[in-house]
Protein backbone atom coordinates (compact mmCIF):
# COMPACT_ATOMS: atom_id res chain seq x y z
CA UNK A 1 0.00 0.00 0.00
CA UNK A 2 2.84 2.37 0.89
CA UNK A 3 4.68 1.45 -2.32
CA UNK A 4 1.54 2.35 -4.25
CA UNK A 5 1.42 5.71 -2.43
CA UNK A 6 5.06 6.43 -3.35
CA UNK A 7 4.39 5.40 -6.94
CA UNK A 8 1.44 7.79 -6.99
CA UNK A 9 3.66 10.65 -5.74
CA UNK A 10 6.29 9.82 -8.37
CA UNK A 11 3.63 9.90 -11.08
CA UNK A 12 2.33 13.23 -9.75
CA UNK A 13 5.83 14.75 -9.79
CA UNK A 14 6.46 13.53 -13.32
CA UNK A 15 3.02 14.60 -14.57
CA UNK A 16 3.23 18.07 -13.06
CA UNK A 17 6.79 18.44 -14.32
CA UNK A 18 5.42 17.82 -17.83
CA UNK A 19 2.89 20.57 -17.13
CA UNK A 20 5.75 22.98 -16.35
CA UNK A 21 7.44 21.90 -19.59
CA UNK A 22 4.22 22.60 -21.49
CA UNK A 23 3.96 26.13 -20.07
CA UNK A 24 7.57 26.82 -21.05
CA UNK A 25 9.11 26.81 -17.55
CA UNK A 26 10.43 23.29 -16.92
CA UNK A 27 11.04 22.92 -13.18
CA UNK A 28 10.69 20.07 -10.72
CA UNK A 29 10.56 22.64 -7.91
CA UNK A 30 7.50 24.22 -9.53
CA UNK A 31 6.00 20.72 -9.89
CA UNK A 32 6.44 20.21 -6.11
CA UNK A 33 4.77 23.57 -5.47
CA UNK A 34 1.87 22.47 -7.68
CA UNK A 35 1.60 19.22 -5.68
CA UNK A 36 1.53 21.28 -2.48
CA UNK A 37 -1.30 23.48 -3.77
CA UNK A 38 -3.31 20.45 -4.93
CA UNK A 39 -2.89 18.70 -1.57
CA UNK A 40 -3.83 21.91 0.25
CA UNK A 41 -7.05 22.12 -1.76
CA UNK A 42 -7.86 18.43 -1.18
CA UNK A 43 -7.20 18.70 2.56
CA UNK A 44 -9.00 22.06 2.89
CA UNK A 45 -12.29 20.75 4.41
CA UNK A 46 -10.49 18.83 7.17
CA UNK A 47 -7.93 21.56 7.79
CA UNK A 48 -10.67 24.21 7.90
CA UNK A 49 -12.56 22.15 10.47
CA UNK A 50 -9.45 21.86 12.63
CA UNK A 51 -8.73 25.59 12.31
CA UNK A 52 -12.30 26.32 13.38
CA UNK A 53 -11.82 24.06 16.38
CA UNK A 54 -8.61 25.93 17.20
CA UNK A 55 -10.42 29.27 17.04
CA UNK A 56 -13.13 27.86 19.30
CA UNK A 57 -10.36 26.82 21.68
CA UNK A 58 -9.18 30.44 21.63
CA UNK A 59 -12.67 31.59 22.61
CA UNK A 60 -12.85 28.98 25.39
CA UNK A 61 -9.50 29.81 26.99
CA UNK A 62 -10.71 32.59 29.37
CA UNK A 63 -13.56 30.37 30.60
CA UNK A 64 -11.14 27.45 30.92
CA UNK A 65 -8.80 29.53 33.10
CA UNK A 66 -11.75 30.50 35.31
CA UNK A 67 -12.66 26.83 35.74
CA UNK A 68 -9.08 25.94 36.63
CA UNK A 69 -9.08 28.60 39.34
CA UNK A 70 -12.55 27.67 40.60
CA UNK A 71 -11.90 23.92 40.84
CA UNK A 72 -8.18 24.02 41.61
CA UNK A 73 -8.71 21.64 44.54
CA UNK A 74 -11.20 19.36 42.82
CA UNK A 75 -9.58 17.73 39.73
CA UNK A 76 -12.51 15.38 39.09
CA UNK A 77 -15.04 18.24 39.00
CA UNK A 78 -12.62 20.29 36.87
CA UNK A 79 -12.40 17.52 34.25
CA UNK A 80 -16.20 17.21 34.17
CA UNK A 81 -16.68 20.96 33.69
CA UNK A 82 -13.91 21.11 31.06
CA UNK A 83 -15.59 18.28 29.12
CA UNK A 84 -18.90 20.18 29.22
CA UNK A 85 -17.18 23.36 28.04
CA UNK A 86 -15.42 21.59 25.16
CA UNK A 87 -18.71 20.00 24.09
CA UNK A 88 -20.59 23.32 24.28
CA UNK A 89 -18.05 25.13 22.07
CA UNK A 90 -17.30 22.14 19.79
CA UNK A 91 -13.62 22.14 20.77
CA UNK A 92 -11.08 19.41 20.12
CA UNK A 93 -8.07 19.95 22.43
CA UNK A 94 -5.89 18.00 19.99
CA UNK A 95 -6.85 20.23 17.05
CA UNK A 96 -3.39 21.78 16.85
CA UNK A 97 -1.71 18.38 16.53
CA UNK A 98 -4.06 16.78 14.00
CA UNK A 99 -2.89 18.77 10.93
CA UNK A 100 0.66 17.66 11.72
CA UNK A 101 -0.46 14.03 12.04
CA UNK A 102 -2.31 14.26 8.72
CA UNK A 103 0.83 15.54 7.01
CA UNK A 104 3.16 12.87 8.40
CA UNK A 105 2.24 10.05 5.91
CA UNK A 106 2.49 12.58 3.05
CA UNK A 107 5.87 13.83 4.30
CA UNK A 108 7.18 10.29 4.67
CA UNK A 109 5.94 9.43 1.19
CA UNK A 110 7.48 12.55 -0.31
CA UNK A 111 10.74 11.93 1.54
CA UNK A 112 10.97 8.37 0.17
CA UNK A 113 9.91 9.44 -3.32
CA UNK A 114 12.34 12.37 -3.52
CA UNK A 115 15.22 10.33 -2.10
CA UNK A 116 14.83 7.73 -4.85
CA UNK A 117 13.47 9.89 -7.67
CA UNK A 118 15.69 10.21 -10.71
CA UNK A 119 15.38 13.80 -11.89
CA UNK A 120 15.89 13.95 -15.63
CA UNK A 121 17.27 16.27 -16.76
CA UNK A 122 19.03 17.07 -13.50
CA UNK A 123 19.40 20.78 -14.40
CA UNK A 124 15.62 21.12 -13.99
CA UNK A 125 15.84 19.84 -10.37
CA UNK A 126 17.18 23.11 -9.00
CA UNK A 127 15.62 25.86 -6.89
CA UNK A 128 17.51 29.14 -6.83
CA UNK A 129 20.48 28.39 -4.51
CA UNK A 130 19.68 24.63 -4.35
CA UNK A 131 21.46 22.64 -7.07
CA UNK A 132 19.65 19.35 -6.43
CA UNK A 133 16.22 18.90 -4.80
CA UNK A 134 17.31 15.39 -3.71
CA UNK A 135 20.02 16.85 -1.49
CA UNK A 136 19.66 18.91 1.71
CA UNK A 137 19.61 22.69 1.40
CA UNK A 138 23.30 23.75 1.54
CA UNK A 139 22.43 27.17 3.02
CA UNK A 140 19.73 25.85 5.42
CA UNK A 141 17.33 28.55 4.20
CA UNK A 142 14.42 26.19 3.48
CA UNK A 143 14.63 24.42 6.90
CA UNK A 144 14.63 27.81 8.63
CA UNK A 145 11.68 28.88 6.45
CA UNK A 146 9.84 25.73 7.57
CA UNK A 147 10.35 26.69 11.23
CA UNK A 148 9.36 30.33 10.72
CA UNK A 149 6.25 29.44 8.71
CA UNK A 150 5.18 26.88 11.33
CA UNK A 151 5.62 29.46 14.10
CA UNK A 152 3.67 32.11 12.19
CA UNK A 153 0.86 29.68 11.35
CA UNK A 154 0.53 28.65 15.00
CA UNK A 155 0.66 32.30 16.08
CA UNK A 156 -2.04 33.19 13.54
CA UNK A 157 -4.24 30.38 14.88
CA UNK A 158 -4.16 32.06 18.31
CA UNK A 159 -5.81 35.21 16.93
CA UNK A 160 -5.92 38.17 19.31
CA UNK A 161 -6.12 36.12 22.49
CA UNK A 162 -2.41 35.22 22.60
CA UNK A 163 -1.99 35.55 26.37
CA UNK A 164 -4.78 33.13 27.21
CA UNK A 165 -3.66 30.67 24.53
CA UNK A 166 -0.05 30.73 25.65
CA UNK A 167 -1.18 29.75 29.16
CA UNK A 168 -2.20 26.42 27.60
CA UNK A 169 0.76 24.04 27.86
CA UNK A 170 -0.07 22.25 24.60
CA UNK A 171 -0.27 25.54 22.73
CA UNK A 172 3.05 26.67 24.19
CA UNK A 173 4.64 23.41 23.06
CA UNK A 174 3.27 23.77 19.54
CA UNK A 175 4.35 27.42 19.37
CA UNK A 176 7.84 27.39 20.88
CA UNK A 177 9.15 23.82 20.74
CA UNK A 178 7.84 22.29 17.51
CA UNK A 179 9.23 24.89 15.03
CA UNK A 180 12.88 24.65 16.28
CA UNK A 181 12.52 20.87 16.38
CA UNK A 182 11.29 20.83 12.77
CA UNK A 183 14.20 23.08 11.70
CA UNK A 184 16.62 20.57 13.20
CA UNK A 185 14.84 17.64 11.48
CA UNK A 186 14.72 19.43 8.12
CA UNK A 187 18.47 20.11 8.07
CA UNK A 188 19.05 16.56 6.82
CA UNK A 189 15.94 16.25 4.63
CA UNK A 190 15.86 16.70 0.84
CA UNK A 191 15.41 20.33 -0.17
CA UNK A 192 12.36 19.32 -2.23
CA UNK A 193 10.60 18.08 0.92
CA UNK A 194 11.47 21.29 2.80
CA UNK A 195 10.11 23.25 -0.15
CA UNK A 196 6.82 21.35 0.06
CA UNK A 197 6.54 21.82 3.82
CA UNK A 198 7.33 25.53 3.82
CA UNK A 199 4.89 26.27 0.95
CA UNK A 200 2.22 24.17 2.68
CA UNK A 201 2.68 26.16 5.91
CA UNK A 202 2.70 29.51 4.09
CA UNK A 203 -0.57 28.60 2.37
CA UNK A 204 -1.89 27.59 5.79
CA UNK A 205 -1.04 31.04 7.18
CA UNK A 206 -3.08 32.67 4.41
CA UNK A 207 -5.97 30.29 5.05
CA UNK A 208 -5.78 30.95 8.80
CA UNK A 209 -5.80 34.74 8.33
CA UNK A 210 -8.86 34.49 6.07
CA UNK A 211 -10.66 32.33 8.64
CA UNK A 212 -9.65 34.76 11.40
CA UNK A 213 -11.31 37.59 9.45
CA UNK A 214 -14.44 35.49 8.98
CA UNK A 215 -14.41 34.61 12.68
CA UNK A 216 -14.06 38.29 13.64
CA UNK A 217 -17.09 39.16 11.47
CA UNK A 218 -19.08 36.31 13.02
CA UNK A 219 -18.05 37.37 16.52
CA UNK A 220 -18.98 40.99 15.75
CA UNK A 221 -22.44 39.83 14.65
CA UNK A 222 -22.78 37.62 17.73
CA UNK A 223 -21.62 40.42 20.04
CA UNK A 224 -24.07 42.86 18.42
CA UNK A 225 -26.87 40.31 18.88
CA UNK A 226 -25.84 39.73 22.50
CA UNK A 227 -25.75 43.48 23.14
CA UNK A 228 -29.20 43.83 21.56
CA UNK A 229 -30.54 40.94 23.64
CA UNK A 230 -28.94 42.40 26.79
CA UNK A 231 -30.47 45.83 26.08
CA UNK A 232 -33.85 44.21 25.44
CA UNK A 233 -33.55 42.18 28.62
CA UNK A 234 -32.56 45.29 30.60
CA UNK A 235 -35.54 47.15 29.11
CA UNK A 236 -37.86 44.28 30.01
CA UNK A 237 -36.41 44.19 33.52
CA UNK A 238 -36.92 47.94 33.84
CA UNK A 239 -40.50 47.59 32.61
CA UNK A 240 -41.07 44.75 35.09
CA UNK A 241 -39.73 46.89 37.94
CA UNK A 242 -41.90 49.82 36.81
CA UNK A 243 -45.01 47.65 36.72
CA UNK A 244 -44.12 46.15 40.10
CA UNK A 245 -43.62 49.61 41.54
CA UNK A 246 -46.90 50.82 39.97
CA UNK A 247 -48.71 47.77 41.42
CA UNK A 248 -47.24 48.43 44.84
CA UNK A 249 -48.28 52.10 44.65
CA UNK A 250 -51.78 51.10 43.56
CA UNK A 251 -51.97 48.61 46.41
CA UNK A 252 -50.74 51.26 48.82
CA UNK A 253 -53.30 53.80 47.57
CA UNK A 254 -56.04 51.19 47.86
CA UNK A 255 -54.96 50.39 51.40
CA UNK A 256 -54.91 54.10 52.27
CA UNK A 257 -58.35 54.58 50.71
CA UNK A 258 -59.74 51.61 52.64
CA UNK A 259 -58.19 52.94 55.84
CA UNK A 260 -59.67 56.40 55.19
CA UNK A 261 -63.09 54.89 54.51
CA UNK A 262 -62.81 52.82 57.66
CA UNK A 263 -61.93 55.91 59.65
CA UNK A 264 -64.90 57.77 58.19
CA UNK A 265 -67.21 54.94 59.13
CA UNK A 266 -65.78 54.78 62.62
CA UNK A 267 -66.15 58.57 62.97
CA UNK A 268 -69.77 58.35 61.74
CA UNK A 269 -70.53 55.59 64.25
CA UNK A 270 -68.99 57.60 67.08
CA UNK A 271 -70.97 60.68 66.07
CA UNK A 272 -74.13 58.59 65.86
CA UNK A 273 -73.53 57.22 69.36
CA UNK A 274 -72.89 60.70 70.72
CA UNK A 275 -76.06 62.11 69.13
CA UNK A 276 -78.13 59.26 70.59
CA UNK A 277 -76.78 59.94 74.05
Amino acid sequence: MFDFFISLINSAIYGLYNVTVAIGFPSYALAIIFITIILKVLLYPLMAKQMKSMMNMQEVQPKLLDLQKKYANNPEKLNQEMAKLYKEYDVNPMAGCLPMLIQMPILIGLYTALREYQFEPIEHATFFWVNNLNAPDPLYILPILVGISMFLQQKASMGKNNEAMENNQMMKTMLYIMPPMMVFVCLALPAGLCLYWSVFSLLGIGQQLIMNKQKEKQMAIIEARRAEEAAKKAEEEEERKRKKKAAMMAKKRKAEKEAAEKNLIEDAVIKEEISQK
Side-chain angles (χ1 to χ4, degrees):
M1 189 66 184
F2 190 66
D3 289 341
F4 172 77
F5 182 58
I6 294 173
S7 176
L8 188 64
I9 293 174
N10 286 334
S11 298
I13 293 174
Y14 182 72
L16 290 170
Y17 166 72
N18 286 333
V19 171
T20 66
V21 172
I23 63 177
F25 193 80
S27 170
Y28 283 103
L30 187 57
I32 291 173
I33 293 174
F34 285 161
I35 289 176
T36 309
I37 295 172
I38 291 170
L39 287 173
K40 192 68 179 177
V41 171
L42 292 176
L43 294 175
Y44 174 80
L46 184 57
M47 301 294 285
K49 184 177 180 181
Q50 296 309 313
M51 286 182 177
K52 183 178 179 182
S53 181
M54 286 286 289
M55 288 188 289
N56 289 344
M57 174 65 100
Q58 171 194 341
E59 189 177 348
V60 160
Q61 278 303 307
K63 295 181 175 62
L64 192 59
L65 293 175
D66 291 340
L67 287 178
Q68 290 171 346
K69 292 177 182 178
K70 185 176 181 180
Y71 300 107
N73 299 323
N74 191 345
E76 184 177 351
K77 182 65 175 177
L78 174 61
N79 290 333
Q80 292 175 356
E81 294 298 322
M82 285 172 61
K84 290 180 183 178
L85 192 64
Y86 288 150
K87 185 177 181 181
E88 179 183 352
Y89 283 85
D90 190 24
V91 166
N92 178 6
M94 299 298 293
C97 301
L98 190 56
M100 179 71 67
L101 296 177
I102 293 170
Q103 284 197 72
M104 290 311 295
I106 300 173
L107 291 170
I108 294 171
L110 278 169
Y111 169 75
T112 306
L114 290 172
R115 186 181 59 184
E116 301 174 355
Y117 194 88
Q118 298 298 319
F119 292 110
E120 295 179 0
I122 191 64
E123 57 267 20
H124 292 168
T126 61
F127 180 74
F128 295 106
W129 62 92
V130 179
N131 294 324
N132 187 346
L133 292 174
N134 272 332
D137 183 346
L139 301 181
Y140 309 128
I141 295 175
L142 286 174
I144 293 172
L145 183 59
V146 169
I148 293 173
S149 60
M150 283 186 65
F151 177 83
L152 293 176
Q153 184 176 7
Q154 189 66 23
K155 199 74 171 176
S157 70
M158 294 181 176
K160 297 180 179 180
N161 198 15
N162 288 342
E163 182 178 355
M165 290 293 281
E166 289 183 18
N167 287 329
N168 184 293
Q169 189 60 43
M170 186 185 300
M171 296 298 105
K172 289 176 69 175
T173 301
M174 291 295 295
L175 182 63
Y176 295 113
I177 297 179
M178 288 300 293
M181 185 183 299
M182 288 304 103
V183 171
F184 178 76
V185 170
C186 288
L187 292 177
L189 295 180
L193 183 59
C194 296
L195 176 62
Y196 160 82
W197 203 338
S198 57
V199 172
F200 193 92
S201 296
L202 290 171
L203 291 174
I205 293 171
Q207 180 183 346
Q208 185 68 62
L209 292 175
I210 291 172
M211 292 192 68
N212 285 352
K213 289 292 184 182
Q214 293 174 346
K215 184 71 173 179
E216 287 176 10
K217 291 180 181 178
Q218 292 174 0
M219 290 305 298
I221 293 172
I222 292 172
E223 290 298 327
R225 188 182 301 125
R226 285 176 179 172
E228 184 179 345
E229 290 174 355
K232 185 177 180 181
K233 188 175 180 181
E235 186 179 341
E236 290 174 352
E237 181 66 17
E238 189 66 27
E239 180 66 16
R240 187 186 66 80
K241 289 180 179 179
R242 188 188 65 78
K243 289 181 178 179
K244 184 178 180 180
K245 184 176 180 181
M248 290 178 64
M249 292 296 296
K251 187 176 180 180
K252 183 179 179 181
R253 285 194 296 268
K254 183 178 179 182
E256 290 174 350
K257 184 178 179 181
E258 289 176 351
E261 290 176 350
K262 184 178 180 182
N263 290 335
L264 288 174
I265 293 171
E266 289 177 352
D267 289 344
V269 170
I270 292 171
K271 289 179 180 179
E272 182 66 25
E273 290 177 351
I274 293 173
S275 64
Q276 287 178 359
K277 288 181 180 180

